[in-house]
Amino acid sequence: MLAQFNTAQDPTMATASDFLATLRTELQSIRDAGLYKTERILRTPQGAHVRTADGREVLNLCANNYLGLSSHPAVIEAAHEALRTHGYGLSSVRFICGTQDIHKTLEARLASFLGAEDAILYAAAFDANGGLFEPLLGEADAVISDELNHASIIDGIRLCKAQRWRYKHNDLADLERCLAEAAAKGARFKLVFTDGVFSMDGTIARLDQIRAVCDRHDALLGVDECHATGFMGARGRGTHEHRGVFGQIDIITGTLGKALGGASGGFTAARREVIDLLRQRSRPYLFSNTVAPNIVGASIAVLDLLEGSTALRDRLQANTSYFRTAIAQAGFEIKPGEHPIVPIMVYDAAKAQQLAARLLELGVYVVGFFFPVVPQGQARIRVQLSAVHEQADLEHAVAAFRQAGLELGLIR
Ligand SMILES: *Cc1c(COP(=O)(O)O)cnc(C)c1O
């Protein structure tokens, strides 16, 4: 009898030694589907130009380095200074011995920058979202989430016991429907949660209208500002400022890992009671190490820079509007908008990959996005602009796009 068992066919009988074989099969199916992701190795700091492992210098149009702060001299100097004054690491979570004066300073500075009462730091925005919902909402409550929200929001919501609704992307009527249903089910508290800016399309959430809907339905509003903090709005405070509802968002989550220097770290900003409870109960905060002192020191310097001058976000905005106009004039279809994320629509996944590969040969580093990252048949190149791009860089980029687009028959 025993000899008849075939462990390869009966997964319940698989042995530990089948484990790696199973993973190899899974990896092969990812490759076969054309979805295997490789990592391009850089040898230089992040910047307008980067050198890849083969020694070539290319114009970089795919970083979240919106303000160019990833390699800004004042930011690097502040990180060095914090290393000297506060050491390299704390080897502790916050509530044991991982809180320095600079952590408290940064939390207060972030809260004031975002128009909130208090803020709490996390090792990443992924953790801020992952540890947000479970401590705040229970079975009696409802969370209502945009269907295109970031993976970390989806995971965070999964971890909480609240009832869940998903509304159609940026669709206020559908949001109203969800809120009405939640009310009909007797939800105690209702929390609506959305990305401020959606990273695949550069869509900017209509926070003014969403706020009004939330007010009509007596709901709280939370926004993930990862692609907005530092440069959206006249003073760079974020999507809420851009949409005229600064100071009117109940919960803001965001990252230090994009525009604000691009190292790592995340935060939640909200009313004091919210932040106090997160410090008591939020698991990624309680059970994960404190943010490193050099990142904290550098982030304070970033806020000094941004509060002292809007030059960087102004430059980013000028670069964005120049590039959006020029690339459209070159014959490409882009998703209309005003965000430095500029999706250049190719539709066909293979063509998008060919375009990215040809552009790299022409010295322009961009990445193609296709299913499942974006819907089937919606393949695109996502360009991200930065304040460190010079006019000559943008002209070079448009010329390279034009040449590659003509060669591939994408434009005329
Ligand atoms: C990048 C991103 C995150 C994750 O940020 P990290 O700090 O890198 O973990 C979360 N939400 C959104 C919308 C993002 O774009």
Side-chain angles (χ1 to χ4, degrees):
M1 274 304 275
L2 271 179
Q4 285 176 8
F5 280 120
N6 181 337
T7 55
Q9 277 166 16
D10 181 354
T12 60
M13 293 304 290
T15 65
S17 60
D18 293 329
F19 180 58
L20 294 181
T22 303
L23 299 194
R24 279 194 293 274
T25 307
E26 183 73 26
L27 285 163
Q28 193 52 47
S29 73
I30 296 173
R31 281 195 194 90
D32 293 345
L35 302 175
Y36 192 85
K37 291 185 265 316
T38 49
E39 299 172 353
R40 197 174 299 286
I41 295 165
L42 307 182
R43 287 188 181 165
T44 53
Q46 193 63 272
H49 301 260
V50 290
R51 196 160 60 248
T52 52
D54 59 10
R56 300 185 53 225
E57 187 169 308
V58 292
L59 171 63
N60 184 6
L61 289 177
C62 53
N64 299 312
N65 185 21
Y66 294 112
L67 297 171
L69 296 176
S70 304
S71 310
H72 191 289
V75 178
I76 292 172
E77 181 45 40
H80 278 294
E81 181 61 17
L83 264 175
R84 283 190 286 268
T85 56
H86 287 74
Y88 170 65
L90 285 179
S91 307
S92 171
V93 298
R94 287 288 297 275
F95 81 94
I96 299 180
C97 53
T99 302
Q100 293 171 320
D101 49 357
I102 51 176
H103 292 83
K104 299 312 287 181
T105 301
L106 178 57
E107 286 173 337
R109 292 287 302 275
L110 280 168
S112 120
F113 189 78
L114 297 165
E117 225 170 55
D118 199 0
I120 174 175
L121 292 171
Y122 287 86
F126 206 104
D127 290 333
N129 287 329
L132 178 69
F133 300 93
E134 188 255 344
L136 300 180
L137 302 175
E139 278 167 26
D141 304 317
V143 55
I144 298 125
S145 177
D146 187 293
E147 65 179 353
L148 292 191
N149 275 347
H150 190 263
S152 55
I153 301 171
I154 294 168
D155 286 8
I157 291 173
R158 277 190 190 137
L159 292 171
C160 87
K161 293 201 170 64
Q163 298 180 70
R164 299 157 203 180
W165 276 265
R166 275 198 332 173
Y167 63 96
K168 291 207 193 80
H169 176 48
N170 224 3
D171 183 331
L172 293 162
D174 203 44
L175 170 60
E176 295 244 18
R177 173 189 66 80
C178 294
L179 282 163
E181 279 182 29
K185 284 216 168 174
R188 179 181 59 162
F189 302 122
K190 299 181 281 288
L191 171 62
V192 172
F193 211 91
T194 180
D195 281 17
V197 172
F198 293 84
S199 64
M200 285 303 133
D201 290 347
T203 307
I204 303 166
R206 295 184 284 176
L207 290 186
D208 47 342
Q209 298 174 45
I210 295 175
R211 177 74 269 176
V213 169
C214 288
D215 288 347
R216 270 208 301 287
H217 290 265
D218 194 24
L220 299 155
L221 175 56
V223 183
D224 177 334
E225 284 282 88
C226 283
H227 285 282
T229 307
F231 58 95
M232 292 298 292
R235 297 171 303 154
R237 305 306 167 93
T239 314
H240 54 341
E241 184 183 33
H242 180 78
R243 293 296 194 203
V245 287
F246 183 79
Q248 298 174 45
I249 308 299
D250 298 295
I251 299 172
I252 293 173
T253 60
T255 185
L256 304 173
K258 290 184 173 123
L260 301 184
S264 63
F267 52 83
T268 299
R271 292 293 294 268
R272 198 168 311 286
E273 294 84 345
V274 173
I275 302 305
D276 275 354
L277 192 67
L278 291 175
R279 285 192 208 283
Q280 301 306 312
R281 296 261 173 84
S282 183
R283 292 163 68 85
Y285 182 80
L286 290 172
F287 298 110
S288 186
N289 199 13
T290 191
V291 179
N294 62 331
I295 296 178
V296 175
S299 299
I300 294 169
V302 165
L303 294 178
D304 288 342
L305 265 174
L306 301 186
E307 286 176 352
S309 158
T310 61
L312 291 174
R313 57 87 48 212
D314 296 345
R315 180 67 194 273
L316 173 62
Q317 189 173 39
N319 282 350
T320 299
S321 56
Y322 170 80
F323 183 83
R324 280 181 169 274
T325 306
I327 199 75
Q329 273 167 4
F332 286 93
E333 181 193 337
I334 60 173
K335 292 248 177 205
E338 34 188 338
H339 195 271
I341 291 172
V342 186
I344 299 173
M345 301 307 295
V346 181
Y347 299 105
D348 180 74
K351 280 266 189 308
Q353 277 170 295
Q354 287 163 13
L355 179 57
R358 182 66 184 126
L359 283 164
L360 192 65
E361 287 171 5
L362 297 172
V364 176
Y365 181 17
V366 290
V367 177
F369 287 84
F370 38 89
F371 185 79
V373 177
V374 296
Q376 198 77 254
Q378 290 284 309
R380 67 198 61 184
I381 301 285
R382 183 181 72 175
V383 163
Q384 291 176 282
L385 296 155
S386 168
V388 281
H389 292 135
E390 304 282 343
Q391 177 68 19
D393 293 328
L394 303 180
E395 286 169 11
H396 169 207
V398 173
F401 262 99
R402 173 107 190 121
Q403 180 182 336
L406 284 170
E407 287 171 7
L408 291 168
L410 295 169
I411 54 169
R412 278 178 295 149

